[in-house]
Amino acid sequence: MIIPFLDLKAINSRHAAELKAAAARVIDSGWYVLGEEVKAFESEFAAWVGSPHCVGTSDGLSALTLALRAWKEMGLLKEGDGVAVPANTYIASILAITENRLRPVLVEPDEATFNLGAAKLTAALTPDVKAVLAVHLYGQLAEMPAVAKLCRERGLLLLEDAAQAHGAQIGGIKAGAWGDAAAFSFYPTKNLGALGDAGALTCKDAKLADMVRALRNYGSKEKYQNHVQGPNDRLDELQAAFLRVKLPYLDADNARRRAIAWRYLTEIKNPAVRLPAPPPAPAAHVWHLFVVRVPDREAFQAQLAAAGVQTQVHYPIPPHKQAAYARELGHLNFPLTEAIHREVVSLPLSPVMSDDQAERVIGAINSFQA
Ligand SMILES: *Cc1c(COP(=O)(O)O)cnc(C)c1O
């Protein structure tokens, strides 16, 4: 039996009866966009994150983009301002910046965490950098106590890309409650996944929440009155209803991810395979992905595939080497980021994996011959 990288059907089948009931509720309501389900999900998710406000959006990229756009509308950012962001992120983080005609200032990550650290961030700050976009890559919080403190001291706006980190926390403060604003994705593969596209913004400032609420809906606060120019980035009722079904199970799912990750960390023993560093506190990581580094990635993936273990790569090409950014960023060099993108491999890890499957993954990796 092949161990799939991720079995989405198995993940959602656990809740099939509840999901079908939620769909029936929405169908029968006759109300499909921006209604009671979205409102209820927003307040339930805000409470779960520990953030005063939540605004549902069509996806994670729109939540990121609208946060920066709202700050521009509010006069806190202007075209050309710099936004510091880790160089080794998913391209959505960078797209949100350039979509707003802001300038991505790429920063090498800390090697142990794959995340933004305060020291390299400080070194990258120039006077035109007005905001920091901290990405909690693979499910681990960036060095948030220090990054948040730095942003407060320097008067920088702090946006979190929490698309991979629902529930990660340090000192009881969760991803989404550290920054001035945070963006979540509920793409089906994320720790909290919808059955289609969905996203949300959480934030501290009621004015920012109001602005994003208007922006996601053509810039309209009242029907047919458009205060600002905005796109259509709304969360729909059906996805909100599905997310309300799955949110109560998220803590247990994250606990299961941690249990499997702990086995990988303690039982994988192969000098050719570099394990991720254990997080500073167990709760700081929700293991959206378990990412190892292997110099000969191709051989590693091939041997695991032959042993029936599917793996993936997140991500093979860093944003500054993508064709889409050849003109703006192609001349830049980030040796650590480039090495990471060359060597990373993601192992199967999900709340529906059995102990037996985890054991087979460990066995296959321990038998890998470089
Ligand atoms: C998934 C993801 C996004 C984008 O979310 P979508 O819902 O796919 O738009 C942004 N940033 C990171 C780090 C992600 O993993």
Side-chain angles (χ1 to χ4, degrees):
M1 276 284 282
I2 287 182
I3 299 173
F5 178 72
L6 181 64
D7 187 347
L8 281 180
K9 185 176 167 186
I11 283 182
N12 288 316
S13 296
R14 299 176 299 165
H15 314 299
E18 277 188 272
L19 290 168
K20 284 174 186 170
R25 190 170 74 226
V26 173
I27 292 166
D28 294 343
S29 76
W31 192 285
Y32 307 116
V33 173
L34 295 188
E36 292 306 315
E37 298 288 344
V38 168
K39 230 182 261 168
F41 174 69
E42 287 174 342
S43 81
E44 288 158 12
F45 193 66
W48 185 84
V49 167
S51 175
H53 306 285
C54 172
V55 184
T57 58
S58 52
D59 51 69
L61 174 60
S62 63
L64 282 169
T65 308
L66 292 185
L68 295 170
R69 184 157 174 177
W71 282 332
K72 280 175 74 189
E73 294 289 350
M74 295 163 78
L76 299 172
L77 289 177
K78 60 174 192 317
E79 227 174 275
D81 281 347
V83 180
V85 62
N88 64 318
T89 184
Y90 181 55
I91 198 155
S93 321
I94 311 298
L95 285 167
I97 297 169
T98 56
E99 272 290 301
N100 279 294
R101 296 176 182 276
L102 300 164
R103 197 169 59 81
V105 176
L106 304 182
V107 183
E108 288 267 49
D110 276 353
E111 186 152 24
T113 63
F114 299 108
N115 271 333
L116 205 57
K120 287 179 189 162
L121 175 58
T122 305
L125 293 179
T126 52
D128 72 322
V129 173
K130 305 292 187 206
V132 173
L133 175 40
V135 183
H136 309 312
L137 201 66
Y138 305 148
Q140 175 163 225
L141 277 183
E143 200 194 329
M144 290 318 280
V147 169
K149 179 162 173 279
L150 180 67
C151 289
R152 266 196 313 276
E153 287 168 359
R154 305 282 185 107
L156 301 171
L157 294 164
L158 175 56
L159 175 60
E160 298 169 71
D161 182 339
Q164 302 190 356
H166 320 67
Q169 53 186 288
I170 295 177
I173 302 175
K174 281 184 183 163
W178 284 93
D180 298 300
F184 287 88
S185 165
F186 308 116
Y187 185 74
T189 60
K190 309 284 172 160
N191 288 34
L192 177 60
L195 278 67
D197 276 312
L201 169 122
T202 56
C203 67
K204 296 201 168 82
D205 177 13
K207 285 206 191 79
L208 175 62
D210 282 348
M211 181 58 81
V212 172
R213 217 166 250 128
L215 281 171
R216 76 173 168 185
N217 190 27
Y218 301 118
S220 168
K221 287 181 192 169
E222 294 152 70
K223 201 165 188 183
Y224 302 132
Q225 297 206 29
N226 300 82
H227 305 261
V228 288
Q229 298 173 19
N232 173 353
D233 283 343
R234 298 177 299 228
L235 173 61
D236 70 63
E237 288 285 282
L238 197 53
Q239 295 307 332
F242 290 148
L243 289 166
R244 292 183 69 203
V245 167
K246 293 182 70 179
L247 179 59
Y249 300 101
L250 180 52
D251 286 325
D253 278 2
N254 282 342
R256 178 70 189 145
R257 286 175 183 273
R258 284 192 187 110
I260 296 166
W262 184 248
R263 291 201 61 180
Y264 285 173
L265 282 173
T266 50
E267 296 176 40
I268 294 175
K269 290 186 168 79
N270 186 327
V273 178
R274 188 154 151 197
L275 293 171
H285 211 321
V286 290
W287 299 101
H288 173 60
L289 295 169
F290 191 100
V291 175
V292 298
R293 286 176 65 179
V294 190
D296 193 352
R297 173 164 75 193
E298 242 172 78
F300 181 71
Q301 287 196 281
Q303 287 184 33
L304 260 61
V309 176
Q310 288 182 354
T311 56
Q312 288 191 10
V313 173
H314 301 90
Y315 301 88
I317 304 171
H320 70 282
K321 293 298 178 200
Q322 293 284 358
Y325 284 112
R327 211 158 27 87
E328 294 108 308
L329 307 173
H331 60 286
L332 298 171
N333 290 303
F334 295 97
L336 176 56
T337 292
E338 287 156 31
I340 287 171
H341 284 259
R342 258 193 319 272
E343 296 180 359
V344 287
V345 181
S346 306
L347 306 183
L349 195 167
S350 87
V352 296
M353 262 182 92
S354 66
D355 287 334
D356 180 56
Q357 286 178 315
E359 226 157 85
R360 282 183 47 208
V361 173
I362 293 162
I365 295 173
N366 287 343
S367 314
F368 165 64
Q369 297 197 317

